[in-house]
Amino acid sequence: MALRVFGLNIVRSNRNLLKNAHKLSAPPSGYMAVAPFASEVTVQAAPAAVQKQKVSKAMRAYLKRANEHDEFMKTQHLEFQIGKRHLANMMGANAETFTQEDIDEAISYLFPSGLYDKKARPALKSPDVVFPARKAAEFDETGRPFHSMFYTGKPNFFQLLHDIVEETNKLADLEERLLRRGNKPDENQKLEMAGFQLLPKDQLELFLVESIADIEYSNFTKSMERLIASPYAYKSKSFIERFLKPLMDQSKQLEVPKPKIDEEGRQYITTYECLRKTARADVTVRFPGTGKISINGKDILYFEDENCKEQLLFPLQFSELLGKVDVEANVEGGGPSGQAGAIRWGIAMSLRSFVDQEMIESMRLAGLLTRDYRRRERKKFGQEGARRKYTWKKR
Amino acid sequence: MKMIRNRFGNLSRVSAQLQRHVQQMSTNAAAAPEEGAVINEFRTAVTNPGEHSALQVAKFYTIPAEQKKQIFAGGGLPKQYEQQIKTFTEACLMVRNPALELLQYIKATDLTKPVVRYVLYGENGTGKTLSMAHVLHYGALNDFLLVHVPWAPNWMKRPKEASNAAGQEGMIDLPFDAAAWLVHFKAQNSQLLQRLQLKTSKEYVWSKRESTPAGSSLIELVEHGIARIKYASETTAALIAELKQLSTAGQCKVMVAIDGFNAFFHPVTRIFSDNKQLVTPDRITLTQPFLDITNYDWTNGVCILSVDKIAMTEGHMDSHMPRYLLGQEGFEHLDPFVPVLVENYTDKEFHSYINYYLDRHWINKTPQGFEEQLKFMSNKNPYSLMQLVRAL
Amino acid sequence: MSFLSIIAGKTSKYSSLRLMSVYPTQYVEPIVQKDKQNEQKTELSKLYHVPIKAAVNKSSDTVFHDDTKEKMINYITKKGNSALARTLLSKTFELIKRTQTEHMNLAKGEKNAINTNAETLLKQAVENCRPLLQVTAIKRGGVTYQVPVPITTRRSYFLAMKWLLDAAREKERKVSLPEKLAWEILDAAHGQGRVVKRKDDLHRQCESNRAYAHYRWS
């Protein structure tokens, strides 16, 4: 939402900025944000001869709306720029190099909000992000649509499907030709699909500026998979890459903290904020140790449940450091199971520093290094519990 | 670690007369030397506790079946341990340091001096009762008269029947429990009593028609108590007074062993009086004689007591220390005493126990490193280890 | 089946339809046992970029854990009290071991032949009670027929364990569940007893109703 500072009518007092508004707005980052099919709605300059033609009422209304939206977006852009400059001024920073992150920081500093819903808190964002992208003019003043598939109602989507099929056919022809020559697809260049997934439905909708039904999305998925499965898919790499999304951020996995040295000369690592359900723990693992474990000062018999004790044993036994490290944990909150889970995660994360990369990967695959974010599901009205329904009585 | 089937190691068959400092196996079958070595790793052939020394720490010795029946028929070994004995078909005890310490003290006592009280204490499940059992076995083999209360809280918590005492006003009798204790006493000491021919010193009048004359043997006194349950508690009191006198006179040695002694000093019991009120332990006739005998006003004997967190648990017990569990009264009563700490297993003892379980086919799932895992999970606590190993 | 679940079933791992889970759909189940990880080494390299869910707090790779045991504990659990279920199952194992060691001590000949491993006995019992087919009620022309129908492995294991527990729960009040369950498991492991009989009855019923098998496809 563009920030109205001091209730001024900003357009009047800052007319000279109007021209620069366009150039100053920061280009939105990421290949997703730009909806290539949306652009500013512009009225095409019509040749003089056509101007005399009568424009229908519907057309006129449409043009009027388009104009209004244009104007509206221009004012919004202007306000955004002005707001940004004011903020930069307030923060004492350079207005030219004030990025979106700086804006967010400034607002959370100047206008702290205790509201739970992040979308309800004050924010200053570029109008392109705030207002959903609209399509460009789809037909000219005579009412003739530009896109050949306009009458499908979702021209961009179906154009996309056609493109996919075209690529697939191209690749099939290529394969046939190369087969006749006796060539095989190059194995080294094969598309790496391991860490990627296709664009989810909502992001595809953003991309196309159109809403799609579930069946249509599944059609898209199937055709894309067919394309990707083709042996020469690497030739259409640029086309396919537009629709791929990485699954996981690898960088965090590799940041293993270095152990520190304590007074006795032993290496140790402390993991803070180990959370599981409502339990909160911090765990220290010391390296040359004898397998001692202490939880809030007591030994492992702090937990009476055998299951909880087994959970503490699990990471140590998995990483084969069972009698070789000492563990000290402080835990509060939650119940026995939650506390045990918190300490288990803490131990696993701390052990990463004393173990080689292969073992870390092994631990990750065993699910030891993922923060278990599951919380208790709330009870819903009309049901007895979170999922349990009331007994169904026929009458 | 070889898991060799122990086909001939039923040491319970080795009679007590064969005890020597010999590290050889029984004569049942030809033992290959390596098998003999494995068995000796955690067993010892020395069945007389009097001969146990630091050499035998962490080793198992078997209690011969007849002796076990004689000493422990009325209790004294924990229930789960009894089950284990039944399954493993042998009564094996591990020689551990607290028991050895106690035995050393006992052997070195000057019996002409007043009685020394030893108090075994420790966390739950560390082996206090079994250490006491070890010492009891020694006492039985060395001509001590055993005054053994297997678990004092049983009288406070779950008496078979509580009735009003006939003689004393406001006191409560536990007839069946007293009678059961007398049976236990008789079973433990019948041989010794017959041999020593101990006589009562004064006459006991139970009612108008019944009395036990002075000079009758103790066995008769005991049998009277068993037969006439109504007077069982009074008989116990009488018996214990007699024993004190006799031992001070030098006619016999007495070993008093009471498990869960702090039950006598707990603020309440779980017994209701006639007006539906909870009774304190000092209003129970049975507490008096045992408090009496744990005084230091007699000689020629030894007193081994144990205090336990789980003895009486109305109000969760916070600490296992004797001063806390005994309270002001109990501490004053017992002061001065020798405390003996019973701790969790050492590494050697732990390893030995695992070997024993493997030998008896109790642990069947043995992937690599399972011992380490058990050590971690149980923190080398004997009771936890027993529980954990149930499911393996 | 709801529309969404049909789609969810048909979409592949490249797409991401939200299912009823806290984890986003990309997340994959963890492989907790080390031997299973070692078996599937080549496939695991594909998971390098895939996020993995956290391991459940009932599973672990220690000597105390076994898949069949875990399932059994889950089936014994009532009202979420799985700690109690776990103690009951360990008592059951204890009783099984006691019976078997007693037999072994009494046996004069082959002592090694008697199996004292309670876990393997449980697995064997479950294997012996597994049905190969099941009957479903199918209504054709106003008549409900009991039609034999194939069964998935998972369901067959579930049925085996459920029958064991049902048999164990039909007892007098004084007999405790661990005792009864131990007897049932031992019986089933040796191919005798009520549960194996129940499985055989089911097989017999399937055999006798072979004629109706075509009703599956009407």
Side-chain angles (χ1 to χ4, degrees):
Chain A
M1 190 102 121
L3 196 68
R4 276 199 183 283
V5 182
F6 308 127
L8 293 172
N9 191 342
I10 299 175
V11 181
R12 255 186 233 149
S13 53
N14 294 288
R15 232 174 233 289
N16 52 344
L17 282 177
L18 190 71
K19 297 168 204 160
N20 298 329
H22 225 58
K23 294 176 207 159
L24 283 178
S25 65
S29 54
Y31 68 97
M32 278 297 93
V34 176
F37 298 102
S39 58
E40 275 197 17
V41 177
T42 48
V43 181
Q44 296 212 339
V50 189
Q51 260 179 337
K52 282 196 189 144
Q53 261 189 14
K54 257 199 175 172
V55 188
S56 70
K57 257 199 186 166
M59 198 58 205
R60 229 184 301 145
Y62 169 78
L63 285 174
K64 188 169 146 209
R65 248 185 289 128
N67 271 330
E68 277 171 8
H69 183 76
D70 243 355
E71 291 292 319
F72 174 71
M73 287 306 280
K74 285 209 180 101
T75 36
Q76 291 298 317
H77 271 289
L78 194 60
E79 283 185 4
F80 175 70
Q81 286 311 310
I82 292 162
K84 196 172 97 167
R85 295 188 88 84
H86 275 293
L87 260 188
N89 196 19
M90 277 193 258
M91 296 300 283
N94 187 0
E96 312 292 332
T97 55
F98 210 56
T99 59
Q100 184 61 42
E101 282 151 12
D102 295 331
I103 296 178
D104 292 332
E105 248 183 74
I107 291 188
S108 60
Y109 172 69
L110 293 168
F111 306 96
S113 163
L115 293 176
Y116 179 80
D117 194 352
K118 301 212 170 139
K119 291 182 191 161
R121 296 178 191 170
L124 176 65
K125 293 203 189 295
S126 164
D128 300 320
V129 172
V130 177
F131 297 105
R134 275 201 198 185
K135 277 199 191 157
E138 295 180 272
F139 41 81
D140 58 14
E141 328 82 59
T142 56
R144 202 172 196 209
F146 296 123
H147 204 295
S148 57
M149 297 190 205
F150 172 77
Y151 288 108
T152 59
K154 302 176 193 183
N156 294 333
F157 176 70
F158 287 103
Q159 180 64 51
L160 173 62
L161 284 184
H162 271 258
D163 287 339
I164 297 174
V165 171
E166 207 187 293
E167 292 283 326
T168 321
N169 288 340
K170 260 202 286 181
L171 292 181
D173 290 336
L174 178 70
E175 193 184 343
E176 220 186 281
R177 271 184 284 129
L178 288 178
L179 253 183
R180 259 191 240 132
R181 276 190 242 153
N183 286 348
K184 283 222 178 101
D186 191 357
E187 282 297 321
N188 298 336
Q189 289 193 2
K190 194 169 174 193
L191 264 190
E192 194 44 66
M193 286 300 302
F196 295 91
Q197 62 167 13
L198 283 178
L199 272 194
K201 179 158 170 273
D202 38 353
Q203 293 195 10
L204 185 62
E205 285 182 349
L206 273 179
F207 184 76
L208 297 171
V209 200
E210 282 167 6
S211 62
I212 352 177
D214 287 337
I215 301 188
E216 293 166 346
Y217 178 72
S218 70
N219 283 340
F220 162 73
T221 321
K222 284 189 194 136
S223 11
M224 276 306 285
E225 277 161 24
R226 227 227 208 133
L227 175 62
I228 291 168
S230 147
Y232 285 92
Y234 58 88
K235 300 259 180 196
S236 310
K237 194 170 175 188
S238 49
F239 176 76
I240 296 173
E241 267 183 351
R242 289 195 293 163
F243 301 100
L244 288 182
K245 185 180 135 184
L247 272 177
M248 199 170 69
D249 186 13
Q250 277 296 322
S251 54
K252 278 191 196 164
Q253 294 294 319
L254 305 170
E255 277 170 20
V256 172
K258 274 194 80 182
K260 305 178 208 162
I261 315 267
D262 67 1
E263 305 98 40
E264 294 156 27
R266 299 203 286 177
Q267 294 182 315
Y268 76 99
I269 277 273
T270 315
T271 313
Y272 297 99
E273 293 266 353
C274 310
L275 305 174
R276 168 94 226 273
K277 282 197 189 174
T278 334
R280 192 200 161 282
D282 41 75
V283 178
T284 314
V285 170
R286 287 179 206 268
F287 179 44
T290 48
K292 277 194 283 215
I293 178 162
S294 82
I295 303 161
N296 284 354
K298 301 190 197 161
D299 59 10
I300 197 177
L301 299 178
Y302 169 87
F303 289 119
E304 282 148 16
D305 266 341
E306 199 185 305
N307 204 5
C308 300
K309 291 187 267 194
E310 209 181 308
Q311 287 302 295
L312 300 193
L313 175 63
F314 180 23
L316 290 168
Q317 204 267 337
F318 195 89
S319 59
E320 292 158 19
L321 286 176
L322 185 46
K324 302 183 188 140
V325 290
D326 283 348
V327 176
E328 293 155 24
N330 291 316
V331 67
E332 55 185 11
S337 180
Q339 289 186 342
I343 301 177
R344 180 186 95 181
W345 188 75
I347 296 176
M349 292 302 264
S350 306
L351 284 178
R352 282 183 310 165
S353 320
F354 301 116
V355 161
D356 63 346
Q357 197 61 30
E358 209 187 294
M359 180 57 79
I360 295 179
E361 181 58 27
S362 209
M363 285 209 286
R364 185 188 78 90
L365 287 169
L368 279 169
L369 299 179
T370 322
R371 199 41 122 51
D372 197 340
Y373 191 68
R374 294 177 294 163
R375 295 273 185 277
R376 199 183 132 253
E377 202 175 308
R378 72 158 270 198
K379 177 198 175 308
K380 285 106 191 169
F381 55 84
Q383 295 178 1
E384 198 174 312
R387 300 278 171 104
R388 161 121 172 101
K389 321 283 183 287
Y390 289 124
T391 315
W392 179 73
K393 296 206 178 89
K394 207 165 179 181
R395 31 193 86 83
Chain B
M1 180 175 49
K2 287 188 189 164
M3 282 166 272
I4 297 173
R5 306 271 181 250
N6 180 17
R7 277 183 284 145
F8 30 70
N10 253 336
L11 291 176
S12 53
R13 310 252 189 277
V14 176
S15 78
Q17 280 138 18
L18 279 181
Q19 7 153 340
R20 291 284 179 270
H21 286 298
V22 182
Q23 303 260 326
Q24 277 169 12
M25 279 331 300
S26 68
T27 51
N28 275 1
E34 44 172 24
E35 291 194 5
V38 168
I39 291 169
N40 284 330
E41 219 174 84
F42 60 89
R43 284 189 199 268
T44 168
V46 181
T47 51
N48 186 356
E51 293 164 28
H52 284 152
S53 65
L55 272 178
Q56 276 95 15
V57 167
K59 298 211 180 172
F60 285 86
Y61 82 98
T62 335
I63 304 178
E66 318 87 48
Q67 289 179 15
K68 180 213 167 253
K69 198 167 162 207
Q70 174 199 339
I71 308 175
F72 299 115
L77 292 172
K79 247 192 293 184
Q80 296 203 357
Y81 206 79
E82 292 271 0
Q83 277 190 320
Q84 190 178 292
I85 289 175
K86 184 171 164 236
T87 314
F88 296 168
T89 62
E90 59 179 6
C92 265
L93 271 191
M94 188 193 262
V95 177
R96 288 182 75 197
N97 272 321
L100 278 182
E101 201 184 316
L102 259 183
L103 285 174
Q104 244 183 346
Y105 294 155
I106 293 173
K107 280 189 246 179
T109 27
D110 184 358
L111 289 171
T112 55
K113 299 267 173 56
V115 180
V116 186
R117 284 85 58 94
Y118 302 97
V119 174
L120 286 164
Y121 70 102
E123 283 283 352
N124 284 341
T126 43
K128 301 182 283 291
T129 310
L130 285 179
S131 302
M132 201 185 266
H134 192 166
V135 175
L136 266 179
H137 187 209
Y138 166 77
L141 289 180
N142 286 286
D143 295 342
F144 275 90
L145 260 182
L146 301 175
V147 176
H148 170 53
V149 181
W151 185 238
N154 268 337
W155 292 347
M156 306 295 142
K157 285 194 209 180
R158 307 173 198 106
K160 276 262 172 56
E161 189 199 323
S163 61
N164 281 323
Q168 301 134 16
E169 275 299 311
M171 300 283 275
I172 295 198
D173 236 355
L174 304 175
F176 287 105
D177 294 296
W181 184 79
L182 284 169
V183 172
H184 176 56
F185 178 81
K186 185 170 158 205
Q188 279 182 328
N189 300 303
S190 52
Q191 283 182 352
L192 200 53
L193 283 174
Q194 276 189 338
R195 196 155 32 106
L196 291 177
Q197 293 291 320
L198 299 166
K199 307 271 184 247
T200 56
S201 59
K202 60 177 205 175
E203 195 194 350
Y204 294 102
V205 180
W206 309 119
S207 68
K208 259 193 250 170
R209 276 167 268 166
E210 290 178 41
S211 68
T212 313
S216 53
S217 79
L218 280 185
I219 301 181
E220 282 176 26
L221 187 62
V222 170
E223 278 169 8
H224 173 261
I226 296 170
R228 303 282 292 132
I229 293 189
K230 189 173 164 193
Y231 302 114
S233 310
E234 291 171 23
T235 325
T236 333
L239 176 66
I240 289 187
E242 286 295 328
L243 283 176
K244 262 178 99 165
Q245 274 191 322
L246 288 166
S247 73
T248 317
Q251 289 189 20
C252 59
K253 298 190 286 186
V254 174
M255 177 187 273
V256 180
I258 303 182
D259 206 355
F261 191 62
N262 51 323
F264 289 137
F265 296 106
H266 204 262
V268 289
T269 63
R270 286 191 198 168
I271 309 174
F272 287 99
S273 64
D274 280 338
N275 18 357
K276 306 280 184 171
Q277 284 193 336
L278 287 173
V279 167
T280 54
D282 42 315
R283 284 197 25 209
I284 301 194
T285 45
L286 269 182
T287 43
Q288 201 39 51
F290 293 105
L291 289 184
D292 205 24
I293 204 171
T294 48
N295 269 325
Y296 50 79
D297 54 0
W298 52 291
T299 62
N300 213 7
V302 67
C303 228
I304 302 142
L305 313 163
S306 89
V307 291
D308 209 336
K309 255 205 244 182
I310 52 179
M312 292 293 283
T313 48
E314 268 78 358
H316 212 59
M317 291 289 142
D318 291 325
S319 153
H320 61 268
M321 293 296 175
R323 169 72 181 85
Y324 176 77
L325 288 170
L326 289 169
Q328 178 83 351
E329 244 182 66
F331 192 73
E332 279 169 11
H333 176 87
L334 275 189
D335 195 23
F337 60 85
V338 178
V340 179
L341 174 63
V342 185
E343 278 185 328
N344 290 332
Y345 284 145
T346 58
D347 280 334
K348 189 173 167 202
E349 289 171 343
F350 188 84
H351 184 67
S352 169
Y353 217 111
I354 300 270
N355 280 345
Y356 178 60
Y357 275 142
L358 283 169
D359 174 65
R360 296 277 98 195
H361 304 297
W362 192 240
I363 299 183
N364 294 301
K365 188 175 176 188
T366 51
Q368 200 197 29
F370 78 99
E371 200 180 313
E372 280 280 322
Q373 296 181 30
L374 275 171
K375 208 185 270 196
F376 181 86
M377 287 275 279
S378 65
N379 198 28
K380 294 188 262 189
N381 180 293
Y383 187 65
S384 309
L385 176 64
M386 188 165 68
Q387 297 235 304
L388 283 172
V389 152
R390 269 195 324 204
L392 277 189
Chain C
M1 262 217 306
S2 82
F3 186 58
L4 205 64
S5 54
I6 297 175
I7 290 193
K10 290 186 183 169
T11 49
S12 76
K13 54 186 167 143
Y14 292 143
S15 56
S16 58
L17 257 186
R18 271 212 97 95
L19 306 166
M20 285 193 274
S21 161
V22 179
Y23 294 109
T25 27
Q26 310 90 304
Y27 280 68
V28 160
E29 294 290 334
I31 304 166
V32 173
Q33 257 85 28
K34 252 209 179 136
D35 356 331
K36 290 205 184 116
Q37 275 193 13
N38 287 334
E39 276 170 35
Q40 305 171 11
K41 261 207 150 62
T42 43
E43 286 130 42
L44 293 183
S45 56
K46 291 186 196 159
L47 290 177
Y48 186 66
H49 292 272
V50 179
I52 313 263
K53 296 187 191 177
V56 202
N57 74 344
K58 298 204 179 160
S59 55
S60 65
D61 190 25
T62 55
V63 73
F64 302 100
H65 178 262
D66 183 50
D67 285 334
T68 326
K69 243 209 260 190
E70 193 184 316
K71 281 276 171 215
M72 204 65 186
I73 291 173
N74 285 344
Y75 297 145
I76 301 177
T77 311
K78 279 192 185 174
K79 292 199 173 177
N81 198 349
S82 51
L84 178 61
R86 195 175 167 140
T87 11
L88 286 175
L89 193 65
S90 39
K91 282 192 190 145
T92 315
F93 278 12
E94 188 190 353
L95 284 168
I96 294 176
K97 279 201 289 190
R98 283 197 205 279
T99 337
Q100 292 296 88
T101 16
E102 270 167 37
H103 280 162
M104 195 175 74
N105 289 332
L106 291 173
K108 287 168 198 139
E110 262 301 315
K111 295 221 175 181
N112 296 351
I114 298 186
N115 184 9
T116 50
N117 191 339
E119 242 173 61
T120 46
L121 278 172
L122 172 67
K123 288 194 173 167
Q124 217 179 333
V126 167
E127 275 297 328
N128 287 349
C129 303
R130 267 181 60 194
L132 299 168
L133 295 172
Q134 61 179 351
V135 272
T136 352
I138 295 186
K139 199 164 176 187
R140 294 270 180 269
V143 184
T144 315
Y145 298 102
Q146 293 291 325
V147 179
V149 133
I151 195 175
T152 55
T153 356
R154 268 196 182 187
R155 184 159 166 82
S156 69
Y157 278 114
F158 164 70
L159 277 178
M161 288 196 248
K162 178 164 174 286
W163 289 344
L164 275 170
L165 280 176
D166 283 343
R169 283 180 178 143
E170 280 173 32
K171 54 181 178 59
E172 304 112 38
R173 247 190 119 237
K174 288 288 179 180
V175 179
S176 66
L177 181 79
E179 274 177 55
K180 194 78 203 304
L181 187 56
W183 298 337
E184 295 293 342
I185 290 176
L186 280 172
D187 275 343
H190 294 118
Q192 317 152 344
R194 298 159 56 176
V195 195
V196 176
K197 179 171 171 297
R198 186 167 174 179
K199 173 200 88 163
D200 288 336
D201 284 344
L202 179 63
H203 281 177
R204 235 171 286 136
Q205 198 188 12
C206 288
E207 186 59 40
S208 66
N209 284 6
R210 255 172 69 177
Y212 303 142
H214 67 284
Y215 279 138
R216 249 178 94 198
W217 302 277
S218 180

